[in-house]
């Protein structure tokens, strides 16, 4: 029995007793079932398994702490109305906001944060981490850490641009279709159906094979692929608004389409559209990362998370986790956005799910 | 009917129920007492939000998702439901307490035959064998005067009409011969002529089996026919309770009196001006929606300046479609609409700004008629800005003037948004928006039917005053004959897209009528508790079950 | 029954037209190339004679519509022309690979579908409990992770660290079925993880939506026990949404399979597509795209037809 194992169980049992004493039913059940599971795990997997559990629990507690602090921080610095909303956010959502905030800082201030340039060769290929290089070097001897920081700018920036393009196209068409109705609506709907019946990755590959892997092609391709999805949602959201009597009243007054969209429909559709923007960003981000991973996205030497995974994949067979870091960066941001969207959708759906 | 010596069946004491808003629990029932004896029928009445439906569910020991019983006691035949286990409570449901929901179409499972849903409870409780239960169901169908009682149960819910389905659900509630049935607005979704049949069927069967019932509704006249005692609720609190006769003749509380007193408003009837051109003239209009289903067939009537024409009919009669044709939203397939003798372009898109300005519309649901994200000042100001080009101080003065006109204090409402207002206030804003265009003709589409009686009367008085001051012509679309009596000069009765009868109000309300007008007039429930009985006697009971039920 | 038949036929016809339009898009998109295929094959430095010879050889001198119909006619018979890089018949390049891909997708689906739907229903019934919240966070994390992230994590642990399964899914003709299942276990597991999360979330939403119906409340108020409410009242109406969820996710598998094949160097059609795209081997790209899109449309079609067939309102018309 090592000191670690004794502290581990001691801590668990002490906290579960404390929880039971103060009548905290949820925490007690969680802690005590974790204690029981740990007995089994300890016997089967030894101290190593327990250490894994301890690290995971520590990380979750750390994330929860940061999320809590960040939420309080947001409540303090935002205006009264906004802070009232944020107070109701679950920890997952504030964790998401914290991650998004961090990525934004990393992306915007990349040249100041990163110790080296993104394509600067500073050591030998696959050199291990040392005091100069936090995460070691990549297959050409460039600093991994710097490239990951720059990747926040390149990869996220590209996905964001593509999402905005898709969103503007789709939302505009959707609003117009809902307002105009008739054959215009029908035709746009059919076009959207057709585009959506081609799997997105396949469609992107087709376009890239023809026009070559350039940034502008990626943006246009993504916009064409995702605009129909945005179109459908906007059409549905605006469709619910268009049937309202106040729209009929405005039409009968003789108002023009543009006035209807701007003053009557848009103010009533913003909440679901913002949530949709977050969701679309996740899809686009994963697609762009996938394309880069296949070597058909952002081209070298630009630092990009998807291509970094591909270029350093061989390290995995030596048991190294470095190539997984850019992949984890992709997953973390997507999770973060999804957490925030999840909360926003819950807010806008109100009591429906109860 | 009421026999006070009978023993107590249900006793609710100081019941408190809370609802979850997403952030906190707020009280929705604030301490209601209720005592129901065996075989007694109690009417629970109140506006939407009064909590009557929640109390109905609580009587079964049931709290809907997002609500919880937070205090008080519910004792059913000696058993305390608030402390009973879920399985004990469940064992009562369907067997001793049954439930009839508002929408039968939504409350029957589309995947099973009606009779299989009917026999589910008796089979579950092992009261009857399947064949027995089916026999019994057919017998109940017959008693409820459903057509083809032997066969109708073997259909699926969507193959049966709404009125029949509502009766089938009442039969289902009766399956285990419960001691208590909760009727939750069972006829609200039905047309008046269908409503009669369902009401009669429900009342008979409850009488026959001496079942106690809680009858929940917002319609006073309906509850007067059904209940032995009436309890009036307001915002989760009890206002008063009394036997039906007493409640109708001698209400004690101001709120109850206000509910009873409303139908007093009546304005003098005007006659058509001689030798004048009608302001609006609908001439031989046919109309069809896409798909070619004809919804209007040769509709003609005139509306003169400063007069009110009420267009009456049940849902599907084409009264709202007529309004759509007049406004140009639905161009007619035949015929035309004249304005001051000049034909109006068929589609609103082709009409001039001035033509659009002249006729305005006020909607039934003020909630959907006002954009929730736009300030009151902008809602009312927009037509003035759009048609008259008012800006700045002149626009503000005009908005103030309009708010004054609808009896709302300008400084208080100027910067507010529709969701902050009450239903009546919203409807007034809707009227102000119509007036802002300075029209000569206003279509009022069921403007009072979503409002409480007292508020509705206020709106009717306001409309009448405005008509006199501004010389407006109204087309009043309604299914409520009380409204017609109080405000109309002329009446147009519609059925299946045709005008059945039209004429001045005093003529229309006196016999002889067209048979349909007669059916419609006589089907509207009246406050007199004996109205239904008398009516059924007049019509002959058999006649009710066989009449058109589509 | 006439209603159902005509609805199904209508839906089939609509699917066919969609497929046709997509074949047009796939074919004519290549026509948008700056220059033409011959130019793309030979590059900027090609001489006019070489270009002309190649155009003649590839039949590029015919007008585009003629070539489209020839291509389509061939495609229907399984002949997609020849690769412009190696000159091999496209059908022989992708034929076997297509079967491999189908095998992998089926392997993943057989595990994922029953697993995800059961879990989704359980989570829906336990909604707003701790279990539901944890499941929500886990599934969100899973659908937010790129397939290659999950794939490499599995390789790192199951293959490199613990040595339980091979990292490279190479196939050969003489393998037994057990060997085959073992070799392809990690790619299949990757797909299962992603698809299960999606499917669980969608099943949960569909079931919760269903449980809010008035007829479910009516069943509860009739004293029906909870399990019977689910089995008798919810399930018969849940088929359409569940079929929809399954079809949508199988369609999702089709796309996910491309990335997973590359991670595990699996000899499937997805890898062929990626190779062809980087080499700009258009006949193969076109063939793969048509096959993927066709499968996708077929699955959506199956979902819609399934929904029509299980709709009680349509099964028992008035």
């Amino acid at each position: 029995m090592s000191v670690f194992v004794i502290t581990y169980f001691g801590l668990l049992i002490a906290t579960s007793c404390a929880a039971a004493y103060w009548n905290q039913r949820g925490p007690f059940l969680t802690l005590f079932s974790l204690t029981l599971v740990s007995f089994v795990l300890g016997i089967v997997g030894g101290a190593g398994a327990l250490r894994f559990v301890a690290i995971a629990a520590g990380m979750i507690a750390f994330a929860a702490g940061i999320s809590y602090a960040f939420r309080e921080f947001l409540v303090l610095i935002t205006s009264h109305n906004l802070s009232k909303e944020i107070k109701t956010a679950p920890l997952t959502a504030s964790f998401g906001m914290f991650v998004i905030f961090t990525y934004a800082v990393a992306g915007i201030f990349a040249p100041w944060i990163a110790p080296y340039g993104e394509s600067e060769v500073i050591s030998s290929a696959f050199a291990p981490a040392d005091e100069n290089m936090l995460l070691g070097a990549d297959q050409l001897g460039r600093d991994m850490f710097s490239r990951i920081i720059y990747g926040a700018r390149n990869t996220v920036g590209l996905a964001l641009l593509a999402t905005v393009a898709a969103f503007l196209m789709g939302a505009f068409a959707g609003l117009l279709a809902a307002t105009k109705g008739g054959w215009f609506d029908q035709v746009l709907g059919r076009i959207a159906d057709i585009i959506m019946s081609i799997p997105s990755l396949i469609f992107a590959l087709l376009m890239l094979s023809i026009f070559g892997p350039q940034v502008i092609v990626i943006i246009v391709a993504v916009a064409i692929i995702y605009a129909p999805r945005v179109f459908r949602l906007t059409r549905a959201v605006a469709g619910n608004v268009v049937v309202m009597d106040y729209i009929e009243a405005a039409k009968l007054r003789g108002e023009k389409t543009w006035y209807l969209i701007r003053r009557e429909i848009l103010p009533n559709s913003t909440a679901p559209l913002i949530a949709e923007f977050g969701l679309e960003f996740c899809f686009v981000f994963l697609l762009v990362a996938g394309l880069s991973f296949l070597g058909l996205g952002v081209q070298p030497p630009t630092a990009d998370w998807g291509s970094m995974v591909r270029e350093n994949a061989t390290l995995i067979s030596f048991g190294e986790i470095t190539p997984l870091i850019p992949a984890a960066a992709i997953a973390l941001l997507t999770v973060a956005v999804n957490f925030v969207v999840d909360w926003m959708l819950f807010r806008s759906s109100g009591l429906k799910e109860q | 009917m009421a026999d006070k010596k009978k023993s107590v069946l249900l006793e609710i004491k100081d019941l408190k129920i809370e609802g979850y808003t997403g952030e906190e629990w707020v009280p929705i029932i604030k301490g209601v007492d209720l005592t129901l004896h065996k075989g007694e029928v109690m009417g629970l009445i109140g506006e939407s939000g009064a909590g009557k439906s929640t109390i109905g569910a609580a009587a079964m020991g049931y709290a809907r998702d997002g609500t919880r019983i937070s205090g008080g006691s519910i004792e059913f035949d000696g058993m305390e439901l608030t402390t009973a286990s879920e399985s004990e409570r469940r064992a009562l449901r369907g067997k001793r307490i049954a439930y009839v929901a508002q929408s039968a179409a939504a409350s029957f499972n589309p995947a099973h035959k009606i009779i299989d849903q009917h026999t589910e409870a008796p089979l579950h409780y092992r009261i009857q064998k399947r064949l027995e239960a089916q026999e019994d169901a057919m017998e109940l169908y017959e008693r409820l005067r459903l057509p083809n009682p032997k066969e109708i149960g073997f259909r699926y819910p969507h193959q049966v009409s709404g009125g029949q389905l509502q009766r089938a659900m009442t039969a289902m509630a009766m399956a285990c011969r419960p001691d208590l049935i909760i009727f939750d607005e069972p006829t609200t979704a039905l047309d008046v002529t269908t409503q009669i049949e369902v009401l009669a069927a429900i009342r008979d069967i409850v009488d026959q089996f001496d079942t106690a019932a809680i009858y929940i509704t917002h319609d006073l006249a309906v509850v007067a026919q059904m209940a032995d005692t009436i309890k009036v609720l307001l915002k989760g609190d009890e206002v008063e309770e009394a036997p039906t006769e007493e409640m109708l003749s001698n209400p004690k509380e101001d709120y109850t009196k206000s509910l009873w007193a409303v139908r007093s408003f009546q304005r003098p009837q005007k006659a058509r001006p001689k030798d004048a051109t009608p302001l609006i003239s609908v001439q031989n209009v046919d109309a069809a929606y896409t798909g070619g289903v004809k919804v209007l067939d040769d509709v003609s009537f005139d509306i003169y300046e400063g007069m009110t024409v009420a267009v009456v009919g049940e849902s599907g009669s084409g009264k709202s479609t007529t309004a759509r044709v007049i406004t140009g939203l639905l161009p007619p397939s035949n015929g035309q609409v004249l304005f001051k003798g000049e034909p109006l372009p068929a589609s609103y898109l082709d009409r001039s700004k001035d033509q659009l300005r002249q006729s305005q519309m006020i909607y039934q649901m003020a909630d959907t008629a006002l954009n929730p994200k736009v300030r009151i000042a902008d809602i009312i100001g927009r037509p003035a800005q759009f048609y008259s080009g008012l800006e700045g101080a002149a626009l503000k003065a005009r908005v103030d003037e309009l708010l004054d006109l609808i009896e709302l204090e300008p400084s208080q409402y100027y910067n507010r948004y529709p969701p902050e207002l009450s239903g009546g206030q919203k409807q007034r804003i809707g009227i102000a928006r119509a007036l802002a265009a300075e029209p000569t003709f206003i279509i009022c589409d069921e403007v009072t039917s979503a409002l409480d009686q007292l508020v509705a009367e206020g709106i009717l008085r306001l409309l009448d005053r405005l008509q006199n001051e501004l010389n407006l012509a109204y087309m009043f679309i309604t299914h409520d004959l009380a409204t017609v009596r109080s405000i109309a000069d002329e009446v147009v009765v519609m059925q299946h897209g045709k005008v059945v009868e039209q004429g001045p109000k005093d003529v229309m309300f006196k016999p002889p009528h067209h048979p349909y007008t007669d059916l419609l007039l006589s089907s509207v429930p009246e406050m007199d508790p004996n109205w239904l009985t008398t009516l059924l006697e007049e019509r002959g009971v058999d006649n009710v079950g066989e009449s058109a039920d589509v | 029954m006439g209603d159902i038949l005509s609805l199904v036929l209508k839906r089939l016809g609509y699917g066919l037209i969609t497929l046709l339009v997509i074949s047009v898009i796939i074919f004519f998109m290549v026509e948008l190339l700056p220059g033409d295929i011959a130019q793309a094959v030979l590059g900027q430095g090609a001489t006019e004679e070489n270009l002309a010879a190649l155009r003649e050889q590839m039949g590029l001198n015919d007008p585009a519509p003629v070539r489209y119909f020839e291509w389509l006619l061939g495609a229907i018979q399984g002949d997609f022309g020849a690769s412009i890089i190696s000159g091999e018949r496209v059908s022989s390049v992708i034929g076997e690979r297509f079967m491999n891909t189908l095998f992998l997708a089926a392997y993943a689906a057989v595990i994922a579908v029953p697993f995800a739907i059961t879990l989704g229903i359980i989570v829906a019934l336990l909604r707003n409990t701790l279990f539901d919240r944890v499941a929500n966070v886990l599934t969100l994390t899973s659908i937010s992770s790129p397939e290659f992230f999950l794939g490499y994590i599995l390789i790192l642990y199951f293959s490199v660290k613990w040595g339980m399964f091979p990292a490279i899914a190479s196939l050969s003709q003489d393998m037994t079925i057990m060997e085959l299942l073992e070799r392809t276990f990690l790619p299949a597991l990757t797909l299962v993880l992603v698809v299960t999360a999606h499917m669980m979330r969608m099943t949960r939403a569909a079931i919760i939506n269903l449980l809010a119906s008035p007829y479910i409340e009516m069943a509860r108020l009739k004293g029906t026990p909870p399990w019977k409410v689910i089995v008798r009242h919810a399930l018969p109406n849940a088929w359409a949404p569940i079929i929809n969820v399954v079809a949508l996710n199988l369609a999702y598998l089709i796309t996910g399979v491309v990335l997973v094949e590359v991670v595990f160097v699996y000899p499937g059609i997805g890898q062929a597509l990626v190779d062809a795209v980087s080499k700009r081997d258009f006949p193969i790209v076109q063939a793969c795209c048509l096959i993927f899109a066709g499968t996708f449309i077929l699955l959506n079609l199956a979902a819609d037809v399934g929904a029509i067939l299980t709709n009680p309102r349509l099964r028992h018309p008035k």
Side-chain angles (χ1 to χ4, degrees), chain A residues 88 244-249 251-256 259 263-265 267-270 346-347 351 354, chain B residues 20-23 65-66 324 327 329 348 356 361 363 368-374 382-383 386-387 433:
Chain A
T88 69
M244 294 290 172
D245 291 334
Y246 55 84
I247 302 291
E248 188 181 299
K251 278 184 180 170
L252 286 178
R253 199 187 304 141
E255 302 283 8
K256 299 280 178 292
Y259 174 91
R263 298 300 303 276
E264 308 276 359
I265 299 175
N268 290 292
S269 321
T270 36
F346 182 77
R347 296 262 337 151
L351 284 173
Q354 285 255 328
Chain B
Y20 193 63
T21 60
E23 280 156 43
D65 284 349
R324 290 175 66 81
T327 54
L329 283 167
Y348 73 97
L356 291 172
M361 190 144 174
Y363 295 87
T368 64
L370 306 179
N371 189 334
K373 296 283 164 82
V374 179
R382 179 64 189 173
F386 186 76
Y387 292 123
R433 177 176 60 188

Side-chain angles (χ1 to χ4, degrees), chain B residues 133-144:
Chain B
Q134 288 187 350
E135 288 286 322
D136 189 55
M138 292 173 200
E139 198 196 316
L140 284 171
Y141 293 153
E142 192 161 3
R143 283 183 186 235
L144 283 158

Side-chain angles (χ1 to χ4, degrees), chain C residues 17-28:
Chain C
I17 291 172
T18 312
L19 197 56
L20 215 63
V21 174
I22 283 168
S23 74
V24 170
I25 293 178
I26 290 175
F27 183 84
F28 283 93

